[in-house]
Amino acid sequence: MLTEIAIVGSGPAGLLASLTLSEAGVPHVLIDHQRFPRDKVCGDAFSGKAVEQLRKVSRLRTAEILREDVVYPVFSMLLVSPRGDAFRLVFRESEQAALNGFTAPRKDYDHVLFELATAAPETTLIEGTRITGYERTPGGHWRLFSGEEAILDTRLVMVADGARSVFTRTVLKRRTAGTSIAVRAYYGGVTFPDRRSIELHFLDDLAPGYFWIFPMSHHRANVGVGLGTRHRKTASPPLRDFFMQKQQSLFAGRFRNAVPEGKPQGWPIPLHTRWWELAGDGYMVLGDAAELVDPFTGEGIGNAMLSGRLAAETAIAAKGNYAQPHLTPYVTALRRHLESEFAVSRFLHRLAARPWWFSQMLRRLSRSPYARRRVSEMLLNVEARKDLINPIFYLRALVGF
Ligand SMILES: Cc1cc2nc3c(=O)[nH]c(=O)nc-3n(C[C@H](O)[C@H](O)[C@H](O)COP(=O)(O)OP(=O)(O)OC[C@H]3O[C@@H](n4cnc5c(N)ncnc54)[C@H](O)[C@@H]3O)c2cc1C
């Protein structure tokens, strides 16, 4: 079978690509090795960026996706330093203000998107098929294999198969530099000082990684720990032990009546370190496969959705000519959206790796109402964000504005 466009992976990146193509009436094949609804190891926290991406795809009835039984609105993020200094970043002032962040089990959220995407007549779904190999044919198509079996030939492949992308490893020979590892567990009955705030606890022995406790609907919590890249050799089973040990010591009071739902599960997080070739002849790389996770917060869903939409828009504009020069506008657009944000996050990631400085900074910032307001503004506004990488801002913070 020869197809025009194939999307490999139906996570947030692949689904937004599919929905955007369908919106423009472009037929495509969507492939995933799992059957939905499926779980994805994740912190389940969504920023305003994810909401914005949903609103951009007009066929999507945003309210239907963001319905109460799926999302749990959160109003702020609490950053706690290794010395216990806390800085609250408010992104929604009241119930009446627009939704700007929420938590939602990925199993449910991805499923709602998946149902919308696969209901479109433009989408042909191939479920339960793992793409394990790619070959360039003499005719200039990509042939996709599952084991020995050739599944289809395609003129354009959108690579959205996540952190363990087969295409980036086997075709592009990419060795990721910034992959961190994290474990996540669900609990019932965890106590919260504020059930509308997600919490990031930076700890000395994790720096610049953190321990997170996120409230969810039905009195559940998503709890986990993510390592900084320099710790990644301490990966899985030890990380799981480390997670249990922290949970039982530092946070014992809050977990006194907590009931775990299953075992903690680990998964890699490809943090963004630098830009590389995300588009070439007949391919574009999206989401986690493109290492688009924010290096400071670990947020990747919103960026994955953004990349899906931009890649699909580029494919539509390319009008069937998928040679590299016609696909590089995807990379240009992605960089325009994310470059300044990643620069700030890399800076904060480096700052968080120095627990003493990071603690001092959070202490100073938390004591100044001006700084609290300014940092919130800076994180929500792209232009103002540039100040966040200006050392003068931090010098002023240290001397008390
Ligand atoms: C522990 C942890 C906590 C995290 N917490 C957060 C958070 O709170 N907020 C946030 O914004 N981000 C978080 N992230 C990052 C976020 O999960 C990812 O950035 C996001 O899922 C990326 O979306 P994606 O569509 O690129 O990939 P994925 O969501 O991984 O989707 C990839 C899809 O491809 C399919 N697939 C994989 N391989 C193949 C194959 N060979 N053939 C066919 N199909 C394939 C998979 O089944 C899957 O459906 C976290 C990550 C981890 C590991």
Side-chain angles (χ1 to χ4, degrees):
M1 166 162 100
L2 173 64
T3 181
E4 190 70 7
I5 303 178
I7 304 170
V8 181
S10 52
L15 289 170
L16 257 277
S18 170
L19 287 159
T20 309
L21 290 173
S22 295
E23 184 70 20
V26 178
H28 57 277
V29 176
L30 179 65
I31 309 170
D32 203 288
H33 83 86
Q34 300 198 64
R35 291 182 189 279
F36 282 65
R38 60 100 177 90
D39 187 23
K40 155 76 178 81
V41 179
C42 187
D44 299 336
F46 294 71
S47 68
K49 195 187 281 180
V51 181
E52 188 190 326
Q53 292 312 314
L54 287 178
R55 293 206 170 109
K56 291 240 158 87
V57 187
S58 62
R59 183 187 290 208
L60 283 182
R61 292 157 302 239
T62 311
E64 192 179 316
I65 298 169
L66 301 178
R67 56 182 203 241
E68 266 176 35
D69 60 326
V70 177
V71 311
Y72 179 80
V74 287
F75 288 40
S76 64
M77 174 158 78
L78 194 67
L79 302 173
V80 185
S81 80
R83 309 284 183 271
D85 297 295
F87 179 67
R88 185 180 297 278
L89 200 63
V90 178
F91 37 76
R92 191 183 182 196
E93 295 287 350
S94 68
E95 295 275 355
Q96 287 69 43
L99 183 71
N100 214 355
F102 60 88
T103 58
R106 286 289 300 276
K107 190 172 182 176
D108 300 337
Y109 177 87
D110 287 14
H111 190 219
V112 178
L113 277 186
F114 177 82
E115 292 217 298
L116 276 174
T118 52
E122 292 83 2
T123 310
T124 303
L125 173 68
I126 302 181
E127 249 185 315
T129 301
R130 184 189 292 275
I131 300 303
T132 53
Y134 297 80
E135 201 177 276
R136 197 79 171 139
T137 67
H141 305 141
W142 287 104
R143 181 160 297 157
L144 277 50
F145 289 88
S146 187
E148 297 294 304
E149 189 190 353
I151 300 297
L152 52 78
D153 285 3
T154 183
R155 298 192 58 235
L156 173 65
V157 60
M158 292 192 182
V159 179
D161 54 352
R164 292 178 170 158
S165 171
V166 173
F167 189 90
T168 57
R169 269 187 293 117
T170 61
V171 179
L172 302 180
K173 312 281 183 217
R174 172 101 187 127
R175 294 283 166 264
T176 52
T179 300
S180 150
I181 183 105
V183 297
R184 171 224 66 185
Y186 288 117
Y187 287 86
V190 177
T191 53
F192 281 88
D194 174 359
R195 270 204 68 87
R196 290 290 177 194
S197 191
I198 58 173
E199 300 170 31
L200 271 48
H201 296 265
F202 292 83
L203 306 176
D204 268 337
D205 40 4
L206 273 183
Y210 57 79
F211 191 101
W212 73 80
I213 312 178
F214 296 167
M216 305 191 79
S217 50
H218 308 295
H219 303 283
R220 299 172 79 212
N222 180 317
V223 184
V225 65
L227 287 179
T229 47
R230 69 194 170 103
H231 294 290
R232 65 171 180 255
K233 294 220 165 56
T234 17
S236 257
L239 183 59
R240 239 172 252 147
D241 298 344
F242 179 86
F243 168 73
M244 294 310 293
Q245 177 208 325
K246 289 291 171 204
Q247 183 246 294
Q248 285 156 11
S249 54
L250 270 181
F251 303 101
R254 298 182 56 184
F255 283 82
R256 192 166 296 125
N257 301 315
V259 182
E261 297 174 17
K263 290 205 166 86
Q265 292 185 34
W267 196 254
I269 310 188
L271 304 179
H272 177 84
T273 49
R274 63 181 182 81
W275 292 99
W276 47 283
E277 204 53 75
L278 300 180
D281 286 336
Y283 75 84
M284 286 184 272
V285 187
L286 285 54
D288 272 15
E291 300 160 31
L292 296 180
V293 179
D294 184 293
F296 178 61
T297 61
E299 180 199 346
I301 304 165
N303 291 346
M305 292 171 71
L306 170 74
S307 71
R309 183 174 62 78
L310 295 177
E313 286 173 357
T314 305
I316 295 162
K319 295 196 172 74
N321 187 344
Y322 304 130
Q324 186 175 36
H326 296 270
L327 301 182
T328 44
Y330 160 62
V331 187
T332 312
L334 203 54
R335 290 184 72 148
R336 199 178 55 243
H337 277 85
L338 295 178
E339 205 144 52
S340 77
E341 190 173 317
F342 278 158
V344 172
S345 292
R346 276 198 301 270
F347 176 86
L348 292 174
H349 186 69
R350 283 200 298 274
L351 189 67
R354 292 164 180 76
W356 187 87
W357 280 102
F358 191 57
S359 297
Q360 287 298 319
M361 195 58 62
L362 285 190
R363 176 172 301 172
R364 298 292 176 152
L365 291 175
S366 61
R367 286 181 185 168
S368 157
Y370 165 77
R372 281 204 302 273
R373 212 176 43 247
R374 187 81 187 109
V375 173
S376 299
E377 261 167 37
M378 288 197 276
L379 287 176
L380 298 174
N381 175 323
V382 174
E383 270 313 297
R385 199 174 284 157
K386 288 179 185 145
D387 274 1
L388 269 182
I389 40 175
N390 185 348
I392 293 175
F393 175 78
Y394 296 93
L395 278 176
R396 288 182 62 200
L398 279 174
V399 296
F401 288 95

